[in-house]
Amino acid sequence: MITSNSKLNWNKFEGNKIPSSLELNPVIFKYLKFDSKILDVGCGFGKTISDFYNKGYKNISGVDVNESGIKFAKSKFKKLGVDIDVRVNDASHLDYNNETFDAIITQAFWTTIVGKEKREEILKEFGRVLKKGGMIYIADFGRTWNLNIYRKRYTNGRKRRLEIGTFEAFNKQTGEFMYFAHHYTRREFRQLLEKCGFEKPFYYEHTKFTTQSGNKINGHVILSTKIIISQLKQVERSRNKFGMTQRL
């Protein structure tokens, strides 16, 4: 049974029809300089990139596996006379050198990543291309058990032996399977960051997000920084000494 999203799943969405319902949380602008080198992962058709650019952040790039979305973004930026690097690229194998970016932006990106091993692979890759002390911004969907529609989806996912919080999304009109999605707990994100070489989040906000379907669900906004190698070794020594994983 296939329990992960493929490039084929996301290429079902064309151009500006790629789901993109989240707006940037204003907190991100407190921690970025206008000359910060920024990478938007899962940039889709370039909505978030445009938001950054219009606010004065010109040194921004974007990647996505959806070829149609990237084509749309390139065409849009070209018409505007804007030189922005957007490319088709898998988040687990980024086409950038080590320590290239000051910040990585992920908006409703992690919900598309199904499977713990894949998440860890991607986050470690983010650590590779981030500069020392580089920052990651996460804005993503949280589990919403109190809404009947999601309670049913989570329950059906468990019946299919999917990870808790993972479910199948279908086209409302045709009933066609579209993709797998995952909703997170705060603890889940904190453990993922800790395991993959990032600091305890220095900012966390529980919020409400509106999905592409118009559902209002729980959400997380998180800011964390890449651990400097010397700090990482110190943390690992501490864990080995006490035979346990530090809790954030």
Side-chain angles (χ1 to χ4, degrees), residues 13-19 44-46 66-73:
F13 299 100
E14 295 187 1
N16 63 350
K17 302 302 181 184
I18 299 171
F45 56 90
N66 187 297
E67 297 176 8
S68 177
I70 293 298
K71 183 178 179 180
F72 184 96

Side-chain angles (χ1 to χ4, degrees), residues 48-232:
T48 299
I49 290 176
S50 295
D51 291 342
F52 270 112
Y53 193 90
N54 291 336
K55 289 184 180 295
Y57 298 87
K58 311 300 184 184
N59 200 2
I60 184 165
S61 305
V63 297
D64 201 291
V65 295
N66 187 297
E67 297 176 8
S68 177
I70 293 298
K71 183 178 179 180
F72 184 96
K74 285 184 175 180
S75 176
K76 177 176 67 174
F77 295 141
K78 183 177 181 180
K79 289 177 182 177
L80 294 173
V82 174
D83 183 20
I84 295 178
D85 172 29
V86 288
R87 60 181 76 177
V88 177
N89 198 181
D90 189 307
S92 60
H93 298 90
L94 295 170
D95 296 332
Y96 297 97
N97 294 329
N98 295 351
E99 300 186 2
T100 297
F101 297 98
D102 296 294
I104 286 179
I105 306 300
T106 57
Q107 291 239 109
F109 165 76
W110 292 103
T111 191
T112 70
I113 308 303
V114 179
K116 293 181 179 180
E117 291 183 0
K118 189 64 175 178
R119 290 176 206 132
E120 292 173 11
E121 179 185 12
I122 290 172
L123 193 54
K124 288 175 181 177
E125 178 69 350
F126 288 179
R128 181 185 70 78
V129 300
L130 277 173
K131 296 178 183 178
K132 294 177 181 179
M135 179 177 66
I136 182 171
Y137 167 91
I138 298 171
D140 226 304
F141 303 121
R143 286 181 209 162
T144 311
W145 287 95
N146 61 306
L147 284 186
N148 187 50
I149 183 174
Y150 289 107
R151 186 165 60 251
K152 286 183 177 179
R153 289 179 180 180
Y154 303 151
T155 301
N156 288 337
R158 290 302 293 156
K159 288 179 180 178
R160 292 204 58 193
R161 298 184 180 180
L162 302 179
E163 182 183 8
I164 296 175
T166 297
F167 58 93
E168 297 166 293
F170 297 89
N171 184 299
K172 286 184 176 181
Q173 282 70 44
T174 66
E176 174 193 8
F177 167 76
M178 298 299 289
Y179 55 88
F180 289 99
H182 185 80
H183 289 175
Y184 292 79
T185 64
R186 178 181 182 181
R187 179 180 177 85
E188 200 170 5
F189 271 128
R190 291 168 72 181
Q191 290 179 333
L192 176 64
L193 288 163
E194 177 191 49
K195 189 171 184 179
C196 297
F198 285 79
E199 296 275 10
K200 175 181 177 180
F202 64 86
Y203 180 87
Y204 174 83
E205 179 181 336
H206 176 269
T207 187
K208 291 288 184 181
F209 287 136
T210 301
T211 69
Q212 192 74 7
S213 302
N215 299 315
K216 291 190 179 297
I217 69 173
N218 293 324
H220 309 284
V221 177
I222 299 170
L223 289 170
S224 177
T225 53
K226 172 183 173 181
I227 295 179
I228 298 172
I229 296 299
S230 60
Q231 294 175 320
L232 182 59

